[in-house]
Amino acid sequence: MTAKTKIALITGGSRGLGKNAALKIAQKGLDVIITYKNSKEEAEAVVDEIKALGQKAAAFQLDTRDVKGFGTFVKEVTEHLEQETGTPKIDFLVNNAGTALYAPIMEVTEEQLDDVVDIHFKGVFFLTQKMLPFMNDGGGIINISSGLARFALPGSSVYGSMKAGVEMLTKYMAKELGPRRIKANVLAPGAIETDFGGGRTRDDHNVNSMISSITALGRAGLPDDIGGIVAFLCTEDAGWINGQRIEASGGMFL
């Protein structure tokens, strides 16, 4: 009897780390659902790339700061899955979507802080809550954090604090979902060359040089350094990893 193909849902999968992870997950033989906020064309291009790898894929619009919209999103996704696979359930949830905020503590506004909280903590919490009834037992949750939850760089107080909150939340997920054999882990990338945060790490020579100088492997990270780790956490080989923080930063600030 042929085993059912597993399915991963990854938020923010139209570009950057999310896109790379989606493709690497597909290469592991999983079907993939991605979300996008605005870039539908980019998302559909990723879907086409996944299909070219021989896996099923679909893209849905989602603003992870809009908690009130999660019910509609979950309904759309589960109805799609029911039609395509005969079951509304997924196996892995990757909470990846996010934005950057670079501002000194003295300059952060309440609106900026609320926005980061909504995207990076509240959104992660409630999307996971909404999806849990539609996750197969034995699956997994991967929450994307940051090296900035371990070390402090001026200007990232709000972002780093929210990621630290997600890391603690992940431990609670692992503990509470243990009876369902659902694993929950954190992947914390270091500075990666993408368009995240306006492409600072990729495009600003001074920032890139600074990162390279404090990283044991002597360079900033690339999306290919991260996506494969997300994919690994969606396989049976990672089945005994639970409640853990995995940092992939090339050895920043060792």
Side-chain angles (χ1 to χ4, degrees), residues 115-136:
D115 194 54
V116 176
V117 171
D118 287 348
I119 296 169
H120 290 283
F121 190 85
K122 190 175 176 182
V124 170
F125 188 102
F126 284 108
L127 182 61
T128 302
Q129 184 190 73
K130 291 284 189 184
M131 286 305 303
L132 276 171
F134 302 101
M135 288 190 67
N136 285 315

Side-chain angles (χ1 to χ4, degrees), residues 129-175:
Q129 184 190 73
K130 291 284 189 184
M131 286 305 303
L132 276 171
F134 302 101
M135 288 190 67
N136 285 315
D137 291 354
I141 298 165
I142 299 99
N143 294 323
I144 304 301
S145 180
S146 169
L148 291 164
R150 175 176 64 85
F151 50 78
L153 290 176
S156 293
S157 61
V158 179
Y159 177 82
S161 296
M162 288 307 99
K163 289 303 190 183
V166 165
E167 292 189 3
M168 194 66 213
L169 173 63
T170 305
K171 292 184 179 182
Y172 277 95
M173 289 178 178
K175 192 77 168 180

Side-chain angles (χ1 to χ4, degrees), residues 32 51 70-71 84-85 94 115 138 174 178 181 191 196 214 220 225 236:
V32 185
K51 289 180 176 178
F70 287 177
E84 291 291 317
T85 70
V94 183
D115 194 54
R181 295 178 290 106
F196 185 79
I214 61 173
D225 296 320
E236 292 299 323

Side-chain angles (χ1 to χ4, degrees), residues 54-161:
Q55 301 303 132
K56 294 179 180 178
F60 292 86
Q61 196 280 331
L62 177 69
D63 183 348
T64 55
R65 62 165 65 79
D66 180 20
V67 172
K68 288 182 172 57
F70 287 177
T72 299
F73 167 76
V74 171
K75 186 173 185 289
E76 290 175 350
V77 170
T78 54
E79 286 180 352
H80 167 81
L81 288 171
E82 186 83 56
Q83 184 175 358
E84 291 291 317
T85 70
T87 173
K89 295 194 173 185
I90 66 170
D91 298 280
F92 296 95
L93 172 62
V94 183
N95 287 305
N96 165 77
T99 59
L101 172 63
Y102 301 112
I105 290 171
M106 285 295 292
E107 296 177 12
V108 173
T109 67
E110 183 178 358
E111 290 75 20
Q112 286 176 318
L113 188 145
D114 286 345
D115 194 54
V116 176
V117 171
D118 287 348
I119 296 169
H120 290 283
F121 190 85
K122 190 175 176 182
V124 170
F125 188 102
F126 284 108
L127 182 61
T128 302
Q129 184 190 73
K130 291 284 189 184
M131 286 305 303
L132 276 171
F134 302 101
M135 288 190 67
N136 285 315
D137 291 354
I141 298 165
I142 299 99
N143 294 323
I144 304 301
S145 180
S146 169
L148 291 164
R150 175 176 64 85
F151 50 78
L153 290 176
S156 293
S157 61
V158 179
Y159 177 82
S161 296

Side-chain angles (χ1 to χ4, degrees), residues 187-206:
L187 175 58
I192 309 295
E193 294 183 12
T194 68
D195 60 2
F196 185 79
R200 285 204 337 169
T201 299
R202 181 190 63 197
D203 302 332
D204 188 318
H205 175 72
N206 291 331

